[in-house]
């Protein structure tokens, strides 16, 4: 579903990603862990072309992200084409980014109606089903400011799912939440995993990675230091840097 080949990302002289190679298989829960500044979130944003790669290539479901190949050269797609491709990839951020002036239901309906021009009646039915799925159907007419952080993040997940994506990206979705609200968001993500959604998750929740993840990559300094099955990496890390990191977070 996702293939990264020698992906680099630079901001001027600062090289944030230094040659990332990895693959995410369909229906896989792929966890990215590592210290702040290791490049995890930057890589996640490259997957849907919110950040442009400086070198290398990224493809989703067999198609290059943000570019087309002609001979040996890559050409960036038009913004309209990029937006159409990006609509196939759901993303949930640390901050919920809900529209405060819209109800919960309106937030979930907005993108399919506005971007895909789908019929409101069809989208409304789907949105209500998704809100039921994340346990918030009864809050459909509430505004974001009337919800807890955990509830807002669950609405954000429903909003991303409303576009019927083939891939979901989560950028530390629980890091802005009070500890007692973390579980309700992780429960929704567990259900998504059980339903077969392909997910790439940047997280500090090692318990979630161990229980739900199919693959785990530890990143540091813009490179993949260690990768494997989550239980193997978390219980028997092979690299000294991985051991040092896990000794502080487990």
């Amino acid at each position: 579903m996702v293939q990264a080949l020698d992906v680099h990302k630079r901001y001027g002289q600062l090289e944030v990603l230094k040659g990332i190679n990895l693959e995410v298989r369909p229906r896989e829960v792929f966890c990215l862990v590592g210290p702040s500044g290791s490049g995890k979130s930057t890589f996640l944003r490259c997957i849907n072309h919110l950040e442009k790669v400086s070198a290398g290539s990224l493809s989703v479901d067999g198609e290059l992200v943000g570019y087309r190949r002609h001979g040996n050269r890559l050409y960036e797609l038009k913004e309209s084409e990029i937006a159409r491709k990006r609509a196939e990839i759901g993303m949930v951020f640390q901050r919920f980014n809900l529209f405060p002036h819209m109800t919960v239901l309106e937030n979930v309906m907005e993108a399919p109606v506005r971007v895909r021009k789908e019929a409101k009646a069809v989208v409304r039915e789907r949105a209500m089903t998704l809100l039921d799925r994340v346990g918030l159907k009864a809050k459909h007419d509430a505004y974001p400011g009337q919800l807890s952080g955990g509830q807002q993040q669950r609405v954000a997940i429903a909003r991303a799912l409303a576009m019927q994506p083939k891939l979901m990206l989560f950028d530390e979705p629980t890091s802005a939440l009070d500890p007692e609200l973390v579980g309700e968001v992780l429960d929704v993500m567990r259900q998504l995993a059980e339903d077969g959604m392909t997910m790439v998750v940047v997280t500090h929740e090692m318990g979630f990675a161990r229980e739900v993840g199919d693959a785990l990559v530890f990143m540091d300094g813009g490179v993949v230091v260690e990768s494997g099955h989550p239980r193997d990496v978390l219980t028997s890390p092979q690299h000294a840097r991985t051991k040092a990191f896990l000794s502080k977070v487990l």
Side-chain angles (χ1 to χ4, degrees):
M1 181 60 78
V2 180
Q3 184 179 51
L5 297 173
D6 198 27
V7 171
H8 291 252
K9 175 62 183 177
R10 299 181 190 86
Y11 298 98
Q13 298 299 309
L14 178 63
E15 191 172 28
V16 178
L17 300 177
K18 303 174 183 177
I20 302 296
N21 292 283
L22 56 81
E23 288 187 356
V24 181
R25 294 192 296 270
R27 303 175 67 88
E28 192 169 56
V29 178
F30 192 98
C31 298
L32 292 168
V33 304
S36 297
S38 59
K40 309 182 302 295
S41 294
T42 298
F43 177 72
L44 201 71
R45 292 169 66 86
C46 287
I47 293 176
N48 64 359
H49 207 63
L50 287 175
E51 298 284 356
K52 300 177 185 180
V53 301
S54 304
S57 67
L58 262 169
S59 60
V60 172
D61 201 17
E63 295 187 9
L64 286 171
V65 175
Y67 298 90
R68 61 179 174 84
R69 189 182 300 279
H70 187 72
N72 293 323
R73 299 193 64 182
L74 294 179
Y75 297 87
E76 190 168 15
L77 298 175
K78 295 178 182 177
E79 190 57 44
S80 59
E81 293 177 278
I82 293 171
R84 182 168 53 83
K85 294 293 184 185
R86 190 179 287 142
E88 299 175 348
I89 304 171
M91 186 157 184
V92 178
F93 300 87
Q94 293 180 37
R95 298 291 172 180
F96 326 119
N97 297 332
L98 300 176
F99 295 115
H101 62 288
M102 292 183 178
T103 65
V104 163
L105 180 61
E106 289 167 342
N107 266 280
V108 177
M109 291 179 61
E110 177 71 2
V113 171
R114 182 73 62 97
V115 177
R116 289 218 170 122
K117 312 299 183 187
E118 293 186 60
K120 282 189 176 181
V122 173
V123 175
R124 189 183 195 282
E125 184 176 350
R126 185 193 313 151
M128 291 297 286
T129 299
L130 288 169
L131 287 172
D132 190 36
R133 188 175 176 183
V134 300
L136 289 171
K137 188 175 183 179
K139 297 284 188 180
H140 73 275
D141 58 351
Y143 287 88
Q146 299 171 305
L147 303 180
S148 70
Q151 290 172 327
Q152 290 188 62
Q153 192 63 296
R154 284 187 278 153
V155 173
I157 293 172
R159 177 180 62 180
L161 291 172
M163 292 293 279
Q164 299 176 301
K166 62 178 69 172
L167 170 68
M168 286 284 286
L169 309 177
F170 292 86
D171 188 6
E172 298 186 27
T174 60
S175 65
L177 301 178
D178 292 333
E180 66 268 23
L181 302 178
V182 168
E184 63 189 53
V185 174
L186 294 182
D187 285 344
V188 171
M189 294 172 66
R190 284 188 184 92
Q191 186 60 55
L192 282 179
E194 290 175 11
D195 293 344
M197 174 62 72
T198 308
M199 300 158 62
V200 182
V201 185
V202 173
T203 185
H204 294 300
E205 300 293 337
M206 300 302 165
F208 173 85
R210 183 187 292 109
E211 296 165 28
V212 183
D214 299 298
L216 182 143
V217 158
F218 171 67
M219 288 179 63
D220 189 32
V223 300
V224 172
V225 176
E226 190 166 341
S227 62
H229 191 278
R231 288 192 185 90
D232 295 336
V233 176
L234 294 176
T235 58
S236 303
Q238 301 300 303
H239 196 283
R241 181 65 188 96
T242 316
K243 293 177 182 177
F245 173 77
L246 292 176
S247 71
K248 294 182 173 67
V249 299
L250 289 178

